[in-house]
Amino acid sequence: MGRAPILSLSEQAQVDVMRQLGSSLHAMARLIKKSRSIRRYLENPPDYGKKLKQLKGRCRKLDNRGERVIINAASNSPKSLNQIRRENGLKVSKTTVHNVIKRSGIIVRQKMIKVPKLTDEHKKRRLDFILFSDEKKWNLDGPDGNRSYWRDLRKDPQLFSKRNFGGGSLMVWGGFCNGQKMDLQFITTRETSLSYQATLQKAIIPFFRNRRRTHTFQQDNASIHKSRSTLDWLAAKKIKDLEWPAVSPDLNPIENLWGLLARRVYRNGRQFNTIQDLKDALKAEWNNVTGAELKKYVASMPNRMFEVIQKNGGETNSLLTHHGLDFQMDNKRIVQKITIIIKTALIPVAYDTPESAIYMLQKIVANYNK
């Protein structure tokens, strides 16, 4: 005979009322249609259902600690269920191990994606073959944008002293490749293709002397960068120019380096009296940037990959707030942006649709994090 169904709370209340009215068991069963359940309830109303709840299902073979051991052992592991069971000394069946993994909700069985085998040296070189570069304007009175501070409402507000007509500013060119910096170059605010080429002659030609086959030069799409004259000059010097999508400073780690430099140069609201003072401060802080800090910024590329995937090629959060960018990207721009990330992973390919580019990018990121 099967187990009698449990009375609901409303049915228990009906039985209590009918018992107080003196109704018979037969009358109660005729109304509720659960005679065996009514009999068990009347035997001990306060403890009704407690024993049944305790008997519901078999006791688990593993406690919480044992289940955590299985989940940790299975996390991103190719081990079989029997291997997990044996290696952790678990005296349970492989079915129990499988049930624990399935019940966790965070681990699933999935086929591995086939990718070329990479050694640790390969992974290191994937982040060590691009010379990132950019220009930046520096002001005597401090960085562009709003200034803020922690205001103590009990004290007079602090004021930002600004000179008439902007005071003064200068432009600099900078570049770095993994842990190595190029010499900081001071340029004019009205650069031409010829003057830009003269800057590159001093800044990057010594670096590329023995690296023309292995390294690539990155620059944005400023007109003097992509002019026919500059591209011909780079080709004559046998320096490969990395194709770069428009309006994408969030992909360039040198922007983070500029942010670090600005915080140090303008520390505590510092302002400068002369251009030479500003130059001296920039040179000193540029020289103080360590190789470890540069490598940290280059190593952020995998995180940028993840964000590009999450945003389907759209703008990431790396520099969005700092630059105030707000733009929409069509499919062509999305493909360009994802393709540039793929090229920084040493796989020089291009794609016609965002979906195909994102698929390849997911494979690259999965392989990088092995």
Side-chain angles (χ1 to χ4, degrees):
M1 185 180 293
R3 182 182 299 168
I6 299 176
L7 295 178
S8 66
L9 293 178
S10 62
E11 290 171 338
Q12 293 176 29
Q14 291 179 46
V15 171
D16 289 336
V17 171
M18 294 179 73
R19 184 177 59 175
Q20 292 174 9
L21 295 175
S23 301
S24 66
L25 180 62
H26 180 71
M28 296 179 191
R30 191 170 52 209
L31 177 65
I32 301 176
K33 295 181 172 46
K34 293 179 181 179
S35 59
R36 289 166 50 208
S37 301
I38 294 172
R39 188 179 293 111
R40 286 181 178 172
Y41 174 73
L42 292 175
E43 290 174 357
N44 188 2
D47 294 331
Y48 175 76
K50 291 184 179 179
K51 186 176 180 181
L52 293 177
K53 291 179 182 178
Q54 292 172 357
L55 297 175
K56 187 177 181 181
R58 291 193 305 171
C59 294
R60 292 187 179 181
K61 295 290 186 70
L62 294 169
D63 56 12
N64 291 336
R65 181 179 178 279
E67 293 191 358
R68 287 197 301 270
V69 168
I70 291 176
I71 293 171
N72 291 335
S75 177
N76 273 13
S77 171
K79 296 177 182 177
S80 67
L81 297 175
N82 281 327
Q83 281 180 299
I84 294 174
R85 181 170 59 88
R86 286 195 302 267
E87 291 179 4
N88 293 280
L90 301 172
K91 296 180 180 180
V92 294
S93 68
K94 70 175 185 178
T95 302
T96 299
V97 176
H98 181 264
N99 290 338
V100 170
I101 294 174
K102 185 177 180 180
R103 195 163 53 240
S104 72
I106 59 174
I107 298 178
V108 295
R109 193 69 176 175
Q110 180 175 306
K111 289 184 178 180
M112 289 188 181
I113 299 173
K114 295 180 180 179
V115 294
K117 181 176 177 60
L118 294 180
T119 65
D120 291 339
E121 184 63 23
H122 289 152
K123 292 180 180 180
K124 178 182 176 183
R125 289 183 179 179
R126 289 170 72 184
L127 301 174
D128 192 25
F129 78 107
I130 295 179
L131 171 58
F132 295 99
S133 71
D134 194 24
E135 296 90 358
K136 180 173 176 60
K137 186 182 78 166
W138 299 82
N139 304 317
L140 292 177
D141 287 336
D144 293 327
N146 296 327
R147 287 188 170 221
S148 61
Y149 69 103
W150 294 109
R151 166 78 190 281
D152 188 334
L153 297 178
R154 299 167 299 177
K155 301 179 181 179
D156 293 335
Q158 292 188 13
L159 303 177
F160 169 51
S161 176
K162 187 175 181 180
R163 279 166 279 218
N164 293 332
F165 310 108
S169 63
L170 59 85
M171 289 286 292
V172 301
W173 177 96
F176 77 101
C177 181
N178 208 8
Q180 183 177 351
K181 300 188 297 285
M182 306 301 106
D183 290 336
L184 200 63
Q185 304 294 321
F186 295 95
I187 60 180
T188 67
T189 56
R190 295 185 178 182
E191 284 280 283
T192 64
S193 295
L194 292 179
S195 61
Y196 178 62
Q197 293 161 28
T199 299
L200 297 184
Q201 178 69 37
K202 294 182 291 183
I204 71 172
I205 292 302
F207 175 81
F208 275 99
R209 187 161 291 129
N210 298 316
R211 297 182 176 91
R212 287 182 172 85
R213 293 185 179 182
T214 58
H215 286 63
T216 302
F217 178 57
Q218 179 276 332
Q219 56 182 352
D220 61 27
N221 293 309
S223 58
I224 60 172
H225 297 171
K226 298 300 180 179
S227 69
R228 175 50 52 192
S229 173
T230 298
L231 295 179
D232 288 345
W233 182 87
L234 289 171
K237 301 295 183 180
K238 298 181 180 180
I239 296 175
K240 291 176 287 186
D241 179 42
L242 185 64
E243 182 183 351
W244 198 253
V247 198
S248 297
D250 53 337
L251 295 185
N252 193 346
I254 200 171
E255 295 289 349
N256 301 95
L257 178 57
W258 289 140
L260 172 69
L261 208 62
R263 290 191 295 273
R264 293 179 177 177
V265 170
Y266 297 120
R267 186 181 288 114
N268 298 326
R270 183 182 179 187
Q271 295 175 293
F272 298 90
N273 294 322
T274 66
I275 293 293
Q276 189 59 48
D277 291 341
L278 178 56
K279 278 186 178 182
D280 293 340
L282 281 170
K283 286 180 181 178
E285 295 298 346
W286 179 263
N287 292 333
N288 287 336
V289 175
T290 65
E293 289 171 324
L294 298 177
K295 290 180 180 179
K296 178 186 70 174
Y297 292 135
V298 176
S300 68
M301 291 304 293
N303 290 334
R304 297 171 199 253
M305 293 181 190
F306 277 118
E307 210 167 345
V308 169
I309 293 173
Q310 293 169 350
K311 301 293 180 66
N312 288 329
E315 62 272 20
T316 68
N317 294 326
S318 298
L319 296 164
L320 195 59
T321 303
H322 177 70
H323 288 271
L325 299 178
D326 183 16
F327 55 86
Q328 298 295 323
M329 303 182 75
D330 56 22
N331 283 358
K332 183 177 179 181
R333 288 269 310 288
I334 291 173
V335 172
Q336 287 178 338
K337 193 166 187 179
I338 296 180
T339 300
I340 205 66
I341 290 288
I342 292 174
K343 287 184 177 181
T344 62
L346 284 182
I347 302 182
V349 293
Y351 294 89
D352 298 328
T353 65
E355 291 77 15
S356 59
I358 291 171
Y359 174 73
M360 175 55 73
L361 188 54
Q362 289 171 329
K363 293 172 66 175
I364 295 170
V365 174
N367 182 64
Y368 180 88
N369 286 283
K370 281 186 179 181

